[in-house]
């Protein structure tokens, strides 16, 4: 290049060159737009368009039988969720011979191209181009179909449901030379535009900011100068001027990084929520659109790799589009398609019980192994609202030692300290964890995002490697040609990280080299956001609990039937029920963050699972009992003994006792409840508790008789209404200022004694609630009970309002303890630090506890998950009234039970775990006298902190499986005693592999448990 050329040929002009960069950058952007217009310079209309519909979601085979009518461009479509099929005929111009011919399509909605009888590629707003012919003959006629779904990538949200229309359909001639010119120029232009990035965060609502380094001044200056010179010497409309520009571009693109630089492993991805702002039925088609697009891109880009999780979505494609499924398997065998995740769906990790997570892994890993020949080594769950501290152990037990998430970058109070780290769980199990520093799993491969990824990596002092996920997500879509073209040019370009497309395992293998230097994070990964998901759509959460209990009961009685060779459901029949439950534990279904259609289906499905599990359980019990005895028999499906008052199916109160995993009997008890009433209120008392309740329903006093301690510091069971108006994400969030608006429920209350003593004492209260809601509450004390129960029914009509119940406890502690899956987690009752303050609403399962060393109080809950503790105030969130994305969320009738259990000592010595389990899962009843296998415990475990959670038939039909856990955080020698003769007991894992034989003696075996260890055993009968 001559000096005169560089100066523009005139010394006077050279004096001001570079003094107006703001003008120059706008010029460069405009030039890029002109180049982009050349990518498809040749355009012709199609020959004919014919439309059929609206229809249901049908197959191509059925679509071919529809009646089609001619239709012009501009035809409007709808309504939301409607389906149309368009038959297109087009003729390729003769002078396009040898060129790639593309379809340009715009229906302002999602769509799927069906070409040559197979799903070819997804089309949606932002993805309008799909190849039709790779090399045209010229003059040929092309025919194909487009399946139009009247919804956007995000359902009806962020799109106009009135705008669906056949806006454009034409053939375009692809120009590879113009494409190469454009992307060579564009990646360099974007790099120069990011020369002085602002201090910022690219994560939604994050508290931290990243100081991104400026581009090297010399390099930035050359980019600005040379790109501007291209604008001077090149006319996009005159190809004769292109070679000189290409020579300049080649020189710029040859600039490489130094020896040491950030290493980016890039992987394509199409995060597809199994349901969210669209119904579950639409997910199948979203998967077709996303997956067919990925396969099509692999044909054109041999280096492209695509990671895809969720066995359920594969199974849906396998059933509905076998041809696409075969293409996926072929690409997986070739190493381009990367199955990841190891779970049936990407589940919420706060609300399902631990056994549900075990089944996610069991069914997911078995599917991956059967379908792709290998289990996943990575738990892939990027978009979940917090992670339980037992997950590292559960992952390890399911063959996964690596973990990927991203959502923690959304924290509102503190910024997570690491992107790459060891995550250590409750029992000490550790996995290698990573979340991408681009702060998104929907990367677009724009230069500014690639540079932010490198600058934001918090562990660059320990590792040079980080993962980058690119492709449209949440609503699916995945990568496109623009992303792949940009990444090709950015592989090793000065100013950018060194980029290579790698598989997920390849990335983690590279990260593992740095593992000795990485930090360790202990315990739960609490998301400082989306706390409303513990409560929203409460009926779905209640049904989830019912299904978990029902399926575990069914598996126990099925195991008993197998022991005595009685007919029972097969493992496959039970798996069908489990799979339905697991799908509804997806991280936008059970949290309550989906649209109304999702919950209409979920509630029907979950109610069906609970009903079917109960029906099958009763059918099995009928084979295990003598039908000639017409009396009701209680059956204990839990691993802890029971002695309690229960109501049989005829409504009669009985005092029952039952050994673990066995039928029980009705007995008498020496204890009695006394109920006294006066103008002030009511007194309910038994040998253990004395409760004083005023006529407004407040518990003025709860005396723990054994210690003489008063349970409450102030009147308790206070019902509070809160203004619940989150700034963003209404169904997801409870914002901290909602707590500042808490007001006590007031108004007229009616009350009456329902049961005046004996086995049970009950007082019923009724009152208005909020503007138009009604609440009925029965406060109950049973003979021999250690807890005071509140059975609450609400006709809930409130909007943008939350309902809490508050208990001021006469204890002081800096931490409260909450049951989490297969364990317990302590969280602060104060706000000393930002991280402490963030935990103003936390997830839990059956109980929360606040205790001093010698006395404490547990709060039991049968179906509510949102707890909080402020100083000595222990609270449970009962209901919310969000309107987005479901305007009808939680409107209607709700039933919930909670209880207060005062106790001597802490929650461990008070057997809180077992007591809360018995509270949540009432005894079953069956007609007839139990036969031998049911009369004695199938299994007992000791000591009391060893909880046998699950007894089930083995998946392979050989023997049965026991899952137990140490519940108190104490290193424990456990003793198991079986009720039948056993041949052997093997230590196993979640996937039911045999690992090590345990020593047995007679009908027993022993094993040593770590604190909070989960153990899975394979049991074989003699």
């Amino acid at each position: 290049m001559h000096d005169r050329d560089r100066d523009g040929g005139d010394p006077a002009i050279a004096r001001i060159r570079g003094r107006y960069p703001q003008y120059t950058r706008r010029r460069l952007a405009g030039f890029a737009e002109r180049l982009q217009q050349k990518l498809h310079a040749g355009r012709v209309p199609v020959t004919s368009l014919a439309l059929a519909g609206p229809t249901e979601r049908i197959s191509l085979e059925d679509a071919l039988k529809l009646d089609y009518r001619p239709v012009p461009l501009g035809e409007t479509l709808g309504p939301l969720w409607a389906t149309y099929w368009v038959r297109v005929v087009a003729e390729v111009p003769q002078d396009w011979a040898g060129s790639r011919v593309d379809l340009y399509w715009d229906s302002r909605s999602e769509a799927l191209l069906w070409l040559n009888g197979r799903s070819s590629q997804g089309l949606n707003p932002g993805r309008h181009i799909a190849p039709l012919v790779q090399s045209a003959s010229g003059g040929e006629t092309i025919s194909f179909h487009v399946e139009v779904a009247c919804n956007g990538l995000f359902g009806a949200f962020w799109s106009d449901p009135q705008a669906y229309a056949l806006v454009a359909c034409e053939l375009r001639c692809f120009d590879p030379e113009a494409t190469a010119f454009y992307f060579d120029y564009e990646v360099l232009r974007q790099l120069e535009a990011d020369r002085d990035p602002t201090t910022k965060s690219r994560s939604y609502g994050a508290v931290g900011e990243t100081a991104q380094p400026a581009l090297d001044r010399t390099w930035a200056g050359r980019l600005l100068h040379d790109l501007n010179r291209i604008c001077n010497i090149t006319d996009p409309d005159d190809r004769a001027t292109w070679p000189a520009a290409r020579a300049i571009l080649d020189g710029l693109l040859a600039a490489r990084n130094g020896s040491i630089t950030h290493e980016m492993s890039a992987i394509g991805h199409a995060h597809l929520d199994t349901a969210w702002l669209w119904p579950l039925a639409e997910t199948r088609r979203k998967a077709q659109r996303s997956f067919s697009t990925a396969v099509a891109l692999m044909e054109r880009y041999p280096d492209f790799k695509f990671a895809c999780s969720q066995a359920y979505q594969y199974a849906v494609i396998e059933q509905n589009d076998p041809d696409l499924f075969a293409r996926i398997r072929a690409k997986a065998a070739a190493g381009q398609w990367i199955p990841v995740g190891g779970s049936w769906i990407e589940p919420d990790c706060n609300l399902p019980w631990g056994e549900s997570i075990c089944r996610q892994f069991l069914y997911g890993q078995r599917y991956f192994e059967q379908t792709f020949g290998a289990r996943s080594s990575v738990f892939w769950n990027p978009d979940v609202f917090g992670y339980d501290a037992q997950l590292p152990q559960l992952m390890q037990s399911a063959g996964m030692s690596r973990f990927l998430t991203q959502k923690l970058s959304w924290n509102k109070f503190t910024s997570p300290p690491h992107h790459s780290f060891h995550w250590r769980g409750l029992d000490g199990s550790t996995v290698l964890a990573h979340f991408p520093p681009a702060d998104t799993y929907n990367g677009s491969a724009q230069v500014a995002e690639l540079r932010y990824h490198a600058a934001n990596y918090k562990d660059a002092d320990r590792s040079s490697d980080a993962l980058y996920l690119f492709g449209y997500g949440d609503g699916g879509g995945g990568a496109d040609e623009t992303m792949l073209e940009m990444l090709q040019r950015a592989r090793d370009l000065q100013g950018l990280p060194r980029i290579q497309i790698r598989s997920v395992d390849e990335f983690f293998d590279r990260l593992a080299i740095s593992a000795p230097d990485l930090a360790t994070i202990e315990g739960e990964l609490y998301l400082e956001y989306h706390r409303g998901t513990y409560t929203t759509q409460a009926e779905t959460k209640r049904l989830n609990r019912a299904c978990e209990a029902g399926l575990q009961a069914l598996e126990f009685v099925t195991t008993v039937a197998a022991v005595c060779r009685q007919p029972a459901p097969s493992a496959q029949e039970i798996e069908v029920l489990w799979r339905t439950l697991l799908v509804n534990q997806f991280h936008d279904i059970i949290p309550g963050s989906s649209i109304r259609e999702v919950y209409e289906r979920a509630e029907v499905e979950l109610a069906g699972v609970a009903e079917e599990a109960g029906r099958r359980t009763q059918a099995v019990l009928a084979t295990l009992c003598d039908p000639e005895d017409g009396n009701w028999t209680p059956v204990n499906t839990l691993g802890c003994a029971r002695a309690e008052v229960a109501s049989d199916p005829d409504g009669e109160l009985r005092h029952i006792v039952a050994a673990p995993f066995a039928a029980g009997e009705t007995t008498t008890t020496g204890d009695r409840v006394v109920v006294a009433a006066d103008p002030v209120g009511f007194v309910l008392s038994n040998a253990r508790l004395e409760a004083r309740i005023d006529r407004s329903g407040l518990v003025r006093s709860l005396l723990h008789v054994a210690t003489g301690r008063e349970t409450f510091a102030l009147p308790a069971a206070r019902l509070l209404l809160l203004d619940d108006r989150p700034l963003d994400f209404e169904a997801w969030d409870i914002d901290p200022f909602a707590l500042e608006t808490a007001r006590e429920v007031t108004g007229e209350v009616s009350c009456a004694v329902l049961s005046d003593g004996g086995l049970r004492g009950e007082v019923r209260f009724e009152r208005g609630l909020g503007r138009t809601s009604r609440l009925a509450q029965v406060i109950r004390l049973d003979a021999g009970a250690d807890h005071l129960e509140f059975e609450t029914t609400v006709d809930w009509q409130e909007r943008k309002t939350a309902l809490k119940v508050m208990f001021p406890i006469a204890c002081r502690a800096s931490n409260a303890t909450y049951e989490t899956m297969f364990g317990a987690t302590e969280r602060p009752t104060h706000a000393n630090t930002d991280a402490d303050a963030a935990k103003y609403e936390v997830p839990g399962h059956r109980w929360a506890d606040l205790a001093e060393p010698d006395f404490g109080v547990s709060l039991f809950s049968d179906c509510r998950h949102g707890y909080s503790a402020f100083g000595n105030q222990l609270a449970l969130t009962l209901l919310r009234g969000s309107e987005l994305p479901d305007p009808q969320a939680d409107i209607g009738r709700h039933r919930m039970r909670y209880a207060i259990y005062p106790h001597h000592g802490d929650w461990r010595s008070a057997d809180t775990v077992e007591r809360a389990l018995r509270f949540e899962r009432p005894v079953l009843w069956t007609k007839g006298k139990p036969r031998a296998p049911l009369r004695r415990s199938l299994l007992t475990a000791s000591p009391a902190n060893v909880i046998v959670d699950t007894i089930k038939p083995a998946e392979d039909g050989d023997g049965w499986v026991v899952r137990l856990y140490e519940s108190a955080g104490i290193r424990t020698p456990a003793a198991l005693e079986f009720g039948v003769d056993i041949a052997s007991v093997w230590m196993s894992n979640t996937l039911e592999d045999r690992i090590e034989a345990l020593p047995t003696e007679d009908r027993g075996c022993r094993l040593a448990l770590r604190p909070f260890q989960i153990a899975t055993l394979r049991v074989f009968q003699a």
Side-chain angles (χ1 to χ4, degrees), residues 911 914 942-947 965-972:
D911 288 333
E914 289 190 351
S942 60
N945 57 307
V946 178
I947 305 294
Y965 68 101
E966 194 290 309
S967 65
I970 302 169
R971 200 170 297 273
T972 300

Side-chain angles (χ1 to χ4, degrees), residues 790-943:
F790 301 79
E791 183 177 294
T792 304
T793 303
V794 182
D795 179 10
W796 185 246
Q797 303 295 326
E798 306 307 298
R799 302 288 78 196
K800 301 184 187 299
T801 302
L803 176 65
K804 270 183 174 285
V805 61
M806 184 79 76
F807 297 91
I809 307 300
C811 290
R812 184 178 182 277
S814 58
N815 290 289
T817 307
Y818 305 83
E819 184 181 44
T820 50
M821 61 176 73
F822 291 143
T825 298
E826 288 189 2
R827 300 177 179 121
T829 61
H830 53 78
N832 287 356
T833 68
D834 287 345
D836 296 334
K839 295 177 180 177
Y840 57 83
E841 183 91 358
V842 296
H845 281 271
R846 304 177 185 103
W847 58 269
D849 187 86
L850 189 67
E852 295 171 352
D854 63 339
F855 183 80
V857 178
S858 297
L859 170 59
F860 298 161
S861 170
D862 77 328
C863 61
R864 293 296 184 263
H865 293 271
Y867 295 89
S868 55
F870 311 101
N872 70 331
Q873 308 257 14
L874 198 57
L876 182 67
T877 304
L878 303 180
L879 286 164
R880 299 188 65 224
S882 62
E883 294 184 305
L884 287 174
D886 176 10
Q888 303 300 311
D890 287 311
I891 287 179
R893 188 176 178 84
H894 297 268
R895 177 182 174 275
M896 64 210 79
R897 294 165 51 244
Y898 49 90
I900 284 292
Y901 167 49
H903 54 76
H904 177 68
D906 68 4
W907 62 270
R908 295 173 176 86
S909 60
D911 288 333
T912 286
V913 175
E914 289 190 351
R915 292 174 185 275
L917 177 58
R918 288 192 293 264
F919 175 79
E920 187 233 357
R921 297 191 178 181
V923 68
L924 295 185
W925 293 89
T926 188
K927 278 277 189 179
K929 184 177 181 180
R931 296 195 174 106
L934 203 56
R935 284 203 299 267
R936 66 174 297 170
S937 293
L938 183 62
L939 173 61
T940 58
S942 60

Side-chain angles (χ1 to χ4, degrees), residues 544-696:
N544 174 74
R545 282 272 185 97
C547 289
E548 289 177 329
L551 288 172
Q552 287 187 272
L554 172 60
E555 289 180 321
F556 158 63
V557 300
T558 298
T559 304
V560 176
V563 165
C564 59
R565 295 175 174 80
Q566 292 294 318
S570 67
Q572 291 73 28
E573 290 173 311
I574 296 175
E575 182 177 343
V576 170
L577 299 177
W578 268 110
R579 285 187 178 188
T580 301
L581 172 61
L582 299 183
V583 169
N584 286 291
Q585 290 175 342
F586 178 73
H587 65 250
D588 269 311
I589 300 180
I590 192 173
S593 47
S594 291
I595 58 174
R596 173 94 302 255
E597 290 90 337
V598 171
Y599 295 104
E600 290 172 346
R601 175 171 182 156
E603 290 176 11
V604 169
E605 287 187 342
L606 293 177
V609 168
E611 181 180 354
E612 182 67 8
R615 186 189 68 78
R616 288 178 175 268
T617 297
Q618 288 298 325
V620 175
L621 286 173
T623 70
L624 301 175
C625 296
D626 182 356
E628 294 182 5
D629 186 324
N631 294 320
W632 288 111
T633 296
V635 178
N636 182 13
T637 62
L638 304 179
C640 51
R642 313 185 77 125
E644 62 200 64
V645 174
S647 179
D648 70 21
D650 293 329
E652 292 293 324
L653 286 180
R654 308 285 186 184
H655 185 267
I656 65 103
V657 294
F661 295 118
E665 59 184 359
T666 59
T667 66
T668 60
T669 175
D671 193 18
R672 287 289 183 269
V673 178
V674 176
V675 178
D678 60 33
V680 176
F682 310 89
V683 178
L684 279 63
S685 60
N686 63 13
R688 305 182 183 191
L689 297 176
E690 181 184 273
R692 295 183 178 274
I693 307 160
D694 69 20
R695 290 185 174 269
S696 70

Side-chain angles (χ1 to χ4, degrees), residues 161-227:
Q162 307 303 317
Y164 308 131
L166 298 181
V167 176
C169 179
E170 64 184 21
L171 298 189
R172 293 190 175 183
C173 184
F174 176 73
D175 188 333
E177 183 182 8
T179 298
F181 188 178
Y182 167 73
F183 283 108
D184 286 352
Y185 179 89
E186 177 64 5
V187 72
L188 294 166
R189 184 199 68 80
Q190 288 189 23
L191 181 58
E192 193 285 326
D194 199 53
R195 66 187 295 166
D196 293 308
T198 58
T199 298
K200 59 187 175 182
S201 171
R202 300 179 68 87
S203 174
Y204 185 90
V207 290
E209 291 186 335
T210 294
Q212 187 170 322
L215 206 61
D216 176 82
R217 305 295 292 178
T218 302
W219 175 226
R222 181 181 173 189
L223 284 170
L224 186 66
H225 175 275
D226 284 5
L227 293 175

Side-chain angles (χ1 to χ4, degrees), residues 252-274:
L252 294 173
L253 290 168
R256 296 287 177 255
N257 280 298
S259 300
I260 299 176
T261 191
H262 179 70
E263 301 282 348
M264 176 189 286
S265 294
I267 184 76
H269 179 49
H271 178 64
L272 174 54
D273 287 323
T274 295

